[in-house]
Amino acid sequence: MEPENFSKLQVHIDRYKLVAGGLLPLLHAIQDDIGYIPEESYAPIGKALNLSVAEVHGVVSFYHHFRTQPAGKHVVHICRAESCQAMGSTELEAHAKSLLGIDYHETSADSAFTLEPVYCLGNCSLSPSVMVDEKVHGRVSKARLDSLIQAARGTK
Ligand code: FES
C-alpha cells in the first residue's frame, strides 16, 4: 500500500474505531477514498476494532461491493435487478462481458474498465440501466453501451 493510502487508512480507522458497528461504514469510507480495501489494511482495522484479521477478511469477501484490488479507470455497473432483467439486461451484461473481455468483478488487461453488477440504480422506469463511473444511463441498448464505453475510453 502506498504511504499516502496508509495515512488515509489511519484517518478512517481513527474516525470509526470507537463507533458501534463501525466496520461496515469504515470499509465503505476506505473504498470510497482509496478505491479498494487493501489486504494490508485488515490487520490495522482488526486491531483498532478488536476483530481478528479473519473476521475483517470475512466481511470484505462477503460483500461483492468491496474490492481488494484497485479498479480500472472506469467502472461499468450493469443493473441485474428485476425491472432491468425484464427489459433485457441479461443480454446487455453478456454483451458487456464480451466487449470488455472480462467477467463481473474483473478489470480489463489495460486497466481501463472494471465491470460490476448492481441491484437497482433507482432508474427502473428507464430499464435497462447502466452506470458508467458516477453517471446513470437508462434504456441502454447494446449499441448505446458500445457508445458509452467508447466515450469513456476517450476520457481520462
Ligand atoms: S431494476 Fe434496474 S434500475 Fe431498478
Side-chain angles (χ1 to χ4, degrees):
M1 180 176 12
E2 299 82 10
E4 74 265 22
N5 283 346
F6 192 77
S7 301
K8 290 176 180 176
L9 176 71
Q10 281 305 324
V11 169
H12 295 303
I13 288 175
D14 288 345
R15 179 169 175 211
Y16 287 102
K17 67 183 177 188
L18 299 178
V19 175
L23 180 58
L24 277 176
L26 169 58
L27 294 174
H28 280 284
I30 294 168
Q31 182 158 302
D32 288 348
D33 192 6
I34 299 175
Y36 69 110
I37 316 284
E39 291 188 12
E40 309 97 283
S41 69
Y42 297 174
I45 290 171
K47 187 172 179 199
L49 275 65
N50 201 23
L51 300 167
S52 69
V53 168
E55 286 172 308
V56 177
H57 170 78
V59 172
V60 172
S61 59
F62 180 79
Y63 293 100
H64 285 258
H65 174 73
F66 296 127
R67 58 175 77 91
T68 56
Q69 299 292 325
K73 287 185 195 125
H74 303 283
V75 180
V76 178
H77 284 90
I78 310 272
C79 181
R80 301 191 76 199
E82 195 172 328
S83 173
C84 287
Q85 284 217 3
M87 296 302 286
S89 70
T90 304
E91 294 92 57
L92 201 57
E93 70 183 19
H95 182 69
K97 289 176 183 179
S98 167
L99 184 67
L100 298 173
I102 51 176
D103 204 340
Y104 280 134
H105 312 299
E106 292 182 350
T107 298
S108 58
D110 61 1
S111 299
F113 291 96
T114 295
L115 186 62
E116 299 285 359
V118 65
Y119 297 88
C120 196
L121 289 162
N123 196 41
C124 314
S125 62
L126 297 176
S127 297
S129 297
V130 166
M131 184 164 73
V132 179
D133 298 324
E134 302 303 317
K135 186 153 190 233
V136 176
H137 304 271
R139 294 200 177 112
V140 179
S141 63
K142 291 179 192 173
R144 176 84 176 116
L145 183 63
D146 291 348
S147 302
L148 292 171
I149 287 175
Q150 195 61 39
R153 272 193 206 285
T155 63
K156 286 191 188 173

